[in-house]
Every structure is written in C-alpha cells, then in structure tokens.
Amino acid sequence: MTLPQQTPEPHGHHHGPDQGPGHGGGHGPGPGGGQDPGPGGGHGGSPSHGHGHSHGPAAPVSRHLRRVIAAILIPFATAVVVGLAVLWPGGAPAHERTGVGFDRQTEQGKVVSVEQVDCASVNAGQGPPTGDTSTPEGREAADAQQDQCEKATIEVTTGAEKGRRFTEIIQPDATRQLREGQGVVVAYAPDAPRDLQYSVTDVNRKVPMAVLAGIFALAVVLVGRMRGVMALVALVVSFLILTFFILPAILEGSNPLVVAVVGSSAIMLIALYMCHGLSARTSVAVLGTLISLLLIGLLGSLFIGWASLTGNTDDYTGLIHGLYPDIDMSGLLLAGIIIGSLGVLDDVTVTQTSAVWELHQADPAMGPRALYRAGIRIGRDHIASVVNTLVLAYAGAALPLLLLFSIAQSSTGTVANSELVAEEIVRTLVGSIGLVASVPVTTALAALVVSTDRTDPGAGPGAGGRTGTIGRPGGPRPAEVRGGRRRRAK
C-alpha cells in the first residue's frame, strides 16, 4: 500500500522575484499559473506579480510521512489478507433441515383464487372445549365461529411439484390477508401427510424490494456521481465479504470474534480506500477506525463476560445453537457489536479527518494544538447527533419488546436487567463509547499528520509539501491564505 505523490496546488496571490511575467489565470503550476516563469495565460502586468487560480489536486504529504503511514498500514493490510486466507471457509456446512422457523424447505407460489366461506364450515373457528366463554380465548373462539373466513387456492410455481395446488384458510383476525394474483412463499414438509405438506409462510416481496433498491442506487449515483458509484461498489463488496466469509466461517466453528475482526478490517480497508482514494487523509481515517474498533472489542468482551450475557436470547439464536452447538454465542454477540459499529465509525473518522485537512488548508499556519481544538469543536456536534442516532435506532428495532414490558408494567430496573434488553444496552453503550473515542483519536492523528508535514529536501515546487513562494521549504504563504480558489485537499 503506497501513497501516491500528487501535484501541489498553488493558491491565491503570489509575490516574489522568481515569478513569471503576466497576470496569470492558469490552472496548476507551470507557465501562466503565477508560480513558475512562463508567458502562458497572461494579460499584461508587473513582472513581480502573479495571480493564480488553480483547480488541480491538493498538495500531498511529504515522502517521509508517506513512508511512516505505509509502515503502519502495510503490515496491517498484510495481516488482514493472511487472516482471510487462513480462515476462509469452504462454504456453509450442510445439515439436515429441522423444519423449524427459517430452517425449512421453501418454494415460490401464487394465489390463484380467494373465496369467502363460513369459518364454522371449515373448522377454522373452534369453540372452547367446555363451552366456557368467560375467558378471552373462549370468547375469541366463539366469535370466530360466526365470522367469514377466506379460502385461498395456492399454486406452487417452483420445485419438483411445480403446478401443484393446495388450499389455505385465512381467519378474519389474521395479520396477513391474501389476494388473488399475489406471489407467496410456501413451506414444504415432505414428511407430513400429503394434504398438509404445503403451507403459506410469507408474501413474496422481491419486486418492491428490488424497486426500492434501484431508487436508492439511482439517488446515490445522481448526487454522489463517481463517488456514489464507488460507494455502491464498496457496499456490494461488503455484502460479499459478509456472505461468503464471515457467516460461513462462523458456522464452520471459527472464533466469531477473530472472524469479525478480520472481516470488518477487510471491509474497512476496501470501503474507505475505494470511496475516498488512496491518500494520507484516508489512511489517517483508517488508523482512527482501527483504534476505535479495538477499543470496542475490548470493552465488549469485558462487559459481555461481566454481565454474563450468553447471546442466546430468542428463537433464532436458540435455533442456531441447536443446529451448531459448537458456536460460541457470546462471541457471536461481540462479533455483531463490532460489525454493527463499523459503518458509523467510518462516517465519523472520515468526517473528522476531512475537517482537520480543510482547516489546515484554510490556515496553513495553524499548529497541531490549534487544529485539534478546532477539529474537536466540530466533533462534539458530530458526537451528539451520532449517539442519539444509535440509541434511537436500537430503541426503534426493539419497540415491540418495549411495548410488551410496558403492558406488563415492569419497572425500568426489571426491564434493563433482563438479558434480552441488557444485550441491546451493552451493544448500544459499547458502540457509542467507541464512537465518542474515535473523535479525539482521529482528530489528534489528523492534526499531527497534517501539521508535521514537510517538503522533501531539495524538492522543487512540484514535489509537494509546504513550499514558500520564494522557494523556501515551509515558508509563510500569507497571500495564499487570503486569496485564490482551491479544491478540497486529498
């Protein structure tokens, strides 16, 4: 991993005896650009005055600093590649289907017809065995006998028995109602009696989901343009790593924490460099993200063990543990915390690094302390919004569960102490601590890197770094700070 040399960008007004004639309007260094001697682009003026407006790439960091960053990131990237090679699975291990939950054989189907029938005629509404209607269950069963049910005819459209039809009775109080022509997902139980082998498990939502994904991709490309395209490619790569490496490796019995660290690191390197380019600024964001992920891993491991969280809290995790008893469920919980925090960490570290780089370009005289203080002020606003976002996101996902606790009139302490809620609390707080820590860490790294940059010895104006307008490395550029147009630093 090398950081490419970039052509520096001249800024603003330049005054010096070594400037070429004319009042240049060129783009970039060279003739007429107001920095090197040359006749191009001028329209008259004093031989000691040049006026340049450059739109070229930003000034790069020095060769020494690039070597330091590469010395840190190249071993890290090499370790990630080795980890991928060692832990790469051969695919999800096969198992005999249990027919429970998602572990069922499914096919596609289509609703051929729907007709109204009496619930009593199809035994859909059974009265209580004792005729007692004093209980809620008894009253609901008695009411159901007098209601109208729907009898749907379903045709299987995929699989070995394509074209086979079966009926499904939908009660009036069912949450999912079917309509004619609707696509459905049907479960197949080969060991059941023939009339009960097929049943509707869900609605086919592939078309609306695909349309929504297309709208999302179009919006990203229209607004982000080439950056948006690269972001979508990075998103696809992230899903591929998750699908073909992280999940199968965990199912094969590899340590979930190690798999999550290696997979998340690979996603981080690919996504950040693909979206933001191979530059020192991106490398600083990678380092800030890596340090924050390590902190999240340490805190998560400590508090998951201290709070005795097993990671086996619902039907899905119970099914996973039943199918693959060798999987460390608490390790799986920690892996989920790390992967879930990665996406927000990328956003925070890249934003903070960009803020420090822009502050330095606006005032190159700012030292590391001044840059840190200015950057951390920006970071405080980011912290407030991001932490609130995380808490509300987890609360929204657990809203049905919170409603159940509210109905039961459970106290706040009782709710927080239950393992199901405690897992979400640990997940939220550990991730939020990592996000909060990423702001000062990344800001300090960026301020140190950008303020200690120096021009390579003997390099000319085109070699990068902070070169004065009269050829002195690190010389002051007050006129450049005041005037001129510049592009964002890389």
Side-chain angles (χ1 to χ4, degrees), residues 301-327:
S301 179
L302 172 63
F303 283 94
I304 286 175
W306 192 4
S308 300
L309 298 178
T310 63
N312 190 1
T313 54
D314 54 27
D315 294 339
Y316 300 135
T317 54
L319 179 59
I320 293 173
H321 184 65
L323 293 174
Y324 301 96
D326 294 333
I327 292 180

Side-chain angles (χ1 to χ4, degrees), residues 157-174:
T157 57
T158 60
E161 294 190 301
K162 179 179 179 180
R164 178 176 169 179
R165 294 188 177 188
F166 66 96
T167 59
E168 185 91 1
I169 303 299
I170 302 101
Q171 298 192 20
D173 59 346

Side-chain angles (χ1 to χ4, degrees), residues 337-385:
I337 293 175
I338 293 175
I339 295 173
S341 303
L342 177 61
V344 188
L345 272 178
D346 289 351
D347 173 52
V348 173
T349 55
V350 169
T351 300
Q352 285 304 115
T353 307
S354 298
V356 173
W357 241 261
E358 293 294 339
L359 288 168
H360 175 71
Q361 186 164 347
D363 185 2
M366 293 179 69
R369 290 186 178 180
L371 284 172
Y372 177 81
R373 287 194 297 267
I376 206 69
R377 286 194 294 271
I378 299 172
R380 291 190 185 105
D381 292 334
H382 208 176
I383 287 173
S385 61

Side-chain angles (χ1 to χ4, degrees), residues 3 60-72 280 283-284 357 445-454 456:
L3 302 175
V61 296
S62 64
R63 181 180 303 172
H64 173 71
L65 198 53
R66 293 200 309 273
R67 287 175 177 173
V68 171
I69 296 174
I72 299 173
S283 299
V284 171
W357 241 261
L445 286 173
L448 184 64
V449 168
V450 77
S451 62
T452 57
D453 184 29
R454 293 292 184 271
D456 296 334

Side-chain angles (χ1 to χ4, degrees), residues 18-21 28-39 461-462:
D18 60 339
Q19 294 177 348
Q35 184 172 354
D36 294 338

